[in-house]
Amino acid sequence: MTATTLSKSVTSSSIADQDRPLAEYRVTLHNVSWQTFESLLADLGDRRNTLFHYLNGTLEIMSPLSIHEGSNRFIDDLIRAFSDELEIDLRKLGSLLMKIPDLKLGAEPDSCYYIQNEPIIRNKEVIIVGEDPPPDLVLEVDITNPSDHRLPIYALLNVPEVWRYDGYSLEFLALEDGEYKPIEKSLAFPDLPAAIVVEYVQQRLTLGESATLREFRKWVRANVAVT
């Protein structure tokens, strides 16, 4: 299936009409104090398999399942391969905890990346968003539930770009005047179309991940000039 064909099939088919597989468990708690949020982070530590998002007393706890993690990890592989082929300096920080106590907000994305700001944080083992710049790109996988309520947190953190993948399509969002708005081309990777990412994420399920990554690298070499 070509990227053009896939793009048409995605846009012509209503996402709402398709069965949504369970890809993550989400629990939302209200009236949670900042102190309680901080205590949960300290008590559970870094070895938990859950991700937290906190804003204005609302805490979302998400536990990813295999469908969620498979998509997240493979998009991460594609970003790394694309950067490698084009010799783009990249630092991946996964589900980096980003919190600003003064604003009482915190977030842990599915994946995040430093690209433009990679030289600034290159030699730092500990990244503190608020003191250090935010990631240039955040990836959110929203197969079961949309991440609309998480976008205001990323906006307050000044993350310039968010990618949202829902299992069928990939959306690029750019921060503009405090809100995220859809854009046709990624700010971080303008030569990487959303339809191509979706095509290879789907292809891995039939061709296999390693073979799909090799095919993706061939596509990059054939279609994107190294500058």
Side-chain angles (χ1 to χ4, degrees):
M1 181 180 291
T2 65
T4 301
T5 302
L6 180 62
S7 179
K8 288 180 179 178
S9 69
V10 169
T11 55
S12 64
S13 178
S14 172
I15 300 301
D17 293 337
Q18 303 182 46
D19 292 332
R20 306 296 291 177
L22 183 63
E24 59 268 331
Y25 291 112
R26 295 184 189 272
V27 175
T28 301
L29 305 174
H30 301 285
N31 300 316
V32 177
S33 70
W34 178 257
Q35 290 77 15
T36 299
F37 174 57
E38 292 269 42
S39 295
L40 283 171
L41 290 173
D43 291 343
L44 296 176
D46 296 332
R47 296 184 179 180
R48 56 191 160 84
N49 60 352
T50 54
L51 299 179
F52 289 173
H53 287 79
Y54 180 94
L55 179 65
N56 295 331
T58 297
L59 173 63
E60 181 193 71
I61 304 172
M62 189 273 284
S63 297
L65 300 179
S66 60
I67 296 175
H68 181 112
E69 277 300 270
S71 298
N72 175 36
R73 301 282 180 165
F74 197 74
I75 294 174
D76 183 81
D77 286 341
L78 294 176
I79 288 174
R80 180 172 58 179
F82 188 84
S83 300
D84 185 46
E85 290 293 331
L86 270 67
E87 300 181 3
I88 297 171
D89 290 328
L90 173 77
R91 183 163 179 188
K92 306 188 307 174
L93 281 171
S95 300
L96 171 69
L97 172 61
M98 300 179 282
K99 64 175 183 174
I100 300 181
D102 289 346
L103 298 179
K104 291 184 170 55
L105 61 87
E108 293 176 308
D110 288 315
S111 296
C112 70
Y113 308 87
Y114 283 88
I115 304 124
Q116 290 88 346
N117 283 319
E118 185 274 339
I120 298 176
I121 56 90
R122 179 178 298 174
N123 63 348
K124 293 189 176 184
E125 288 287 352
V126 178
I127 308 297
I128 303 175
V129 175
E131 299 176 12
D132 298 304
D136 297 296
L137 173 63
V138 156
L139 168 64
E140 285 288 336
V141 176
D142 301 337
I143 294 176
T144 303
N145 295 290
S147 60
D148 294 356
H149 54 289
R150 296 194 292 278
L151 293 179
I153 304 177
Y154 294 130
L156 289 169
L157 288 165
N158 289 316
V159 174
E161 182 175 8
V162 174
W163 287 11
R164 297 202 298 182
Y165 177 69
D166 65 5
Y168 305 103
S169 62
L170 176 66
E171 181 180 34
F172 299 149
L173 300 171
L175 186 61
E176 183 179 333
D177 298 326
E179 296 182 354
Y180 286 101
K181 299 180 180 180
I183 53 176
E184 183 177 349
K185 292 185 177 182
S186 167
L187 300 178
F189 303 107
D191 295 321
L192 181 57
I196 287 293
V197 176
V198 175
E199 177 177 351
Y200 285 99
V201 171
Q202 299 294 341
Q203 183 175 306
R204 88 192 197 281
L205 298 175
T206 53
L207 190 59
E209 293 194 351
S210 297
T212 300
L213 280 173
R214 290 193 292 269
E215 290 300 313
F216 175 69
R217 285 181 179 272
K218 291 178 184 177
W219 178 87
V220 175
R221 294 165 190 166
N223 292 278
V224 185
V226 178
T227 57

